[in-house]
Amino acid sequence: MHKPSFPVAPGETAYLVLDGPAGPLEVVVDLPKADVPVQPIVAIVCHPLSTEGGTLHNKVVTMAATTLREQGITTVRFNFRSVGGSAGSFDHGVGEQDDLKAVTAWVRSQRPDDRLWLAGFSFGAFVSLKAAGELQPEALISIAPPAGRWDFSGVQPPARWLVIQGEQDEIVDPQAVYQWLETLDAPHELVRMPETSHFFHRKLIDLRGALTHGVKHWLGAAA
């Protein structure tokens, strides 16, 4: 299977299939909105838990990608193994890190001069955090990272790290997230969203605002 190239038309959405470690990986590339200055940044956005219906089409994932595209950033969403058109079996975050590494390698082969950002929602936040030490993204966005539900030991987030947590999250314990962050030496910006559930029901526009505000000061110069 050949490695497909990035699309070239601004505002275009491309559905691609990459060679992944467990077989084909389903990938969607969205270029920046056509009416905004293009940033030399590619952000890979990881979806929530595969076994609970998480896909690259999840509304929080798509809102995160749309918000980044509004800032001039190219986004890449993909289905972890066992989801949608991606082959393989659920691997409790281990193989899913390998999937992310494969997508990252492809992004870097296609856009070697662009800066890499990683983002993830829930399980996707876990996977991207666990892989960050090896992948060395310039920036990381963690939405509802499931502290207390998965093993976050040994994570190495970059210096630019935005964490967004709903205060009424019924799946991820907000207090567990806050306490976990306090144990880390890593600098981070924490945004607590009041009256917000795990899936940001009726709060997606607020999430958009938090993301826009949180990343805009990263856009100027490389870290």
Side-chain angles (χ1 to χ4, degrees), residues 131-153:
E134 178 177 335
L135 296 180
Q136 293 291 296
E138 178 193 75
L140 179 65
I141 300 166
S142 300
I143 303 172
R149 297 174 61 89
W150 296 85
D151 179 11
F152 279 84
S153 62

Side-chain angles (χ1 to χ4, degrees), residues 30-33 36-45 64-76 111 114-117 141 215-216 218-219:
D30 287 297
L31 297 189
K33 298 289 187 178
V36 298
V38 175
Q39 298 286 336
I41 299 169
V42 179
I44 303 174
V45 188
T66 297
T67 303
L68 294 172
R69 291 174 58 222
E70 290 170 346
Q71 306 304 309
I73 297 169
T74 296
T75 65
V76 175
R111 294 285 188 91
D114 281 7
R115 293 140 59 185
L116 174 71
W117 290 12
I141 300 166
V215 307
K216 64 181 180 181
W218 296 345
L219 296 177

Side-chain angles (χ1 to χ4, degrees), residues 2-6 16 18-19 42 44 76 100-116 135:
H2 72 287
K3 289 188 175 181
S5 299
F6 265 67
L16 310 172
L18 303 183
D19 289 321
V42 179
I44 303 174
V76 175
L100 173 56
K101 292 171 186 177
V103 174
T104 300
W106 172 73
V107 166
R108 284 176 159 157
S109 74
Q110 295 289 315
R111 294 285 188 91
D113 297 325
D114 281 7
R115 293 140 59 185
L116 174 71
L135 296 180

Side-chain angles (χ1 to χ4, degrees), residues 125-206:
F126 165 70
V127 172
S128 52
L129 263 166
K130 292 291 279 191
E134 178 177 335
L135 296 180
Q136 293 291 296
E138 178 193 75
L140 179 65
I141 300 166
S142 300
I143 303 172
R149 297 174 61 89
W150 296 85
D151 179 11
F152 279 84
S153 62
V155 296
Q156 297 176 314
R160 294 177 175 177
W161 183 23
L162 175 66
V163 181
I164 299 176
Q165 179 60 51
E167 296 269 55
Q168 302 298 321
D169 195 321
E170 72 283 13
I171 293 176
V172 173
D173 179 4
Q175 294 305 316
V177 173
Y178 306 150
Q179 291 169 11
W180 163 66
L181 289 172
E182 290 175 358
T183 69
L184 302 177
D185 292 330
H188 60 273
E189 179 180 350
L190 171 63
V191 178
R192 305 186 188 200
M193 292 185 57
E195 300 179 358
T196 301
S197 66
H198 186 68
F199 291 102
F200 293 82
H201 181 56
R202 297 183 178 175
K203 295 290 185 177
L204 287 174
I205 299 303
D206 293 339

